[in-house]
Amino acid sequence: MKQNLEILAASALYAPTRVEELHTKELVPKMTTRRRLTRAAKLVLELAHRSGFEQGRILYGSAYGELPATAAILRRIDEGEPISPTDFQNSVYNTAVSYLSMITKNRSEIMTVSSGDETAKALLQAAAVKAMDGDTLFVSATETLDIEKIEQVNRCIDYLESGAGFILRATDKPADLSFGRLQPLKGFAPSLACLIDLAQRCSDKNSPVLEVEL
């Protein structure tokens, strides 16, 4: 079975260490809230802003989740120190999109997908199913891997921060893009490398249509 998704908006963010061109201060004027945001939350907020998302259902994907918060927790355990309540709160996979919903006062459904290197495929398949009821969806994925001593285990990822975001809806229009033909761009986390390629391909197309095999 196949489902076509019309891409109404697409954007991508990436940097070797940290993405700098973010509008977090403007998007989150309240400093106490802004200080609690994880790097993934900041990326998701920026992707939503660039995509024009305001309200609606959200699907989010990440293979590694909130790695900086998790690493901080493990470091404190190793050093015999108390765990930071903020790090503990921010360590779950839906942290980024939960902040997005709270900040935008969005009460619609959130779904988080994590499937290792297959995260992008699983995320778009979930979006294709969710879109069948006619809703327009905000779909995003991020990886934030800039943690202490990451170089000891990282040998293939050049962009430690990356993310992609899309506004999607089901359509009967013929597809001009296929997930199976997307390129897993080198230097990006395999979990979202195809989504970066998809966002880049959308830059020169007017409302492209993506075919997703379920």
Side-chain angles (χ1 to χ4, degrees), residues 51-105:
S51 299
F53 171 78
E54 294 181 356
Q55 297 283 310
R57 296 164 74 187
I58 299 171
L59 284 86
Y60 171 71
S62 177
Y64 301 100
E66 295 289 348
L67 191 60
T70 304
I73 290 172
L74 294 175
R75 184 168 57 251
R76 286 179 175 269
I77 292 174
D78 182 60
E79 295 171 353
E81 296 182 0
I83 296 173
S84 162
T86 300
D87 285 334
F88 184 78
Q89 172 188 310
N90 286 345
S91 64
V92 296
Y93 270 73
N94 67 343
T95 294
V97 283
S98 294
Y99 277 122
L100 172 63
S101 284
M102 288 188 291
I103 290 167
T104 59
K105 295 180 172 58

Side-chain angles (χ1 to χ4, degrees), residues 14-54:
Y14 49 88
T17 52
R18 291 192 167 201
V19 177
E20 299 295 340
E21 296 181 1
L22 301 177
H23 298 84
T24 311
K25 190 172 183 179
E26 294 86 347
L27 297 173
V28 190
K30 192 174 181 180
M31 185 179 66
T32 53
T33 301
R34 193 167 64 244
R35 290 178 62 182
R36 299 178 72 87
L37 297 177
T38 63
R39 289 299 303 175
K42 292 179 181 180
L43 294 183
V44 168
L45 280 164
E46 184 69 22
L47 290 166
H49 171 66
R50 294 189 182 193
S51 299
F53 171 78
E54 294 181 356

Side-chain angles (χ1 to χ4, degrees), residues 20-210:
E20 299 295 340
E21 296 181 1
L22 301 177
H23 298 84
T24 311
K25 190 172 183 179
E26 294 86 347
L27 297 173
V28 190
K30 192 174 181 180
M31 185 179 66
T32 53
T33 301
R34 193 167 64 244
R35 290 178 62 182
R36 299 178 72 87
L37 297 177
T38 63
R39 289 299 303 175
K42 292 179 181 180
L43 294 183
V44 168
L45 280 164
E46 184 69 22
L47 290 166
H49 171 66
R50 294 189 182 193
S51 299
F53 171 78
E54 294 181 356
Q55 297 283 310
R57 296 164 74 187
I58 299 171
L59 284 86
Y60 171 71
S62 177
Y64 301 100
E66 295 289 348
L67 191 60
T70 304
I73 290 172
L74 294 175
R75 184 168 57 251
R76 286 179 175 269
I77 292 174
D78 182 60
E79 295 171 353
E81 296 182 0
I83 296 173
S84 162
T86 300
D87 285 334
F88 184 78
Q89 172 188 310
N90 286 345
S91 64
V92 296
Y93 270 73
N94 67 343
T95 294
V97 283
S98 294
Y99 277 122
L100 172 63
S101 284
M102 288 188 291
I103 290 167
T104 59
K105 295 180 172 58
N106 179 40
R107 297 189 177 186
S108 297
E109 174 193 17
I110 294 174
M111 180 177 182
T112 303
V113 175
S114 183
S115 189
D117 291 353
E118 298 295 314
T119 295
K121 180 179 180 180
L123 178 65
L124 289 176
Q125 287 177 328
V129 172
K130 292 287 186 180
M132 287 180 180
D133 61 9
D135 281 355
T136 298
L137 313 172
F138 174 60
V139 178
S140 65
T142 68
E143 299 296 355
T144 51
L145 311 179
D146 183 26
I147 63 172
E148 185 179 355
K149 298 182 180 179
I150 186 65
E151 69 280 355
Q152 295 183 6
V153 294
N154 176 40
R155 295 290 184 274
C156 58
I157 298 175
D158 298 325
Y159 299 99
L160 296 181
E161 277 199 355
S162 56
F166 307 90
I167 302 293
L168 305 175
R169 67 183 176 192
T171 182
D172 293 327
K173 296 177 183 178
D176 48 8
L177 293 170
S178 169
F179 180 80
R181 295 186 178 181
L182 297 179
Q183 298 298 316
L185 300 180
K186 292 182 179 180
F188 292 92
S191 56
L192 53 61
C194 288
L195 298 181
I196 301 294
D197 181 44
L198 178 60
Q200 292 179 350
R201 289 172 185 253
C202 290
S203 63
D204 60 352
K205 295 179 181 292
N206 183 23
S207 296
V209 175
L210 175 71

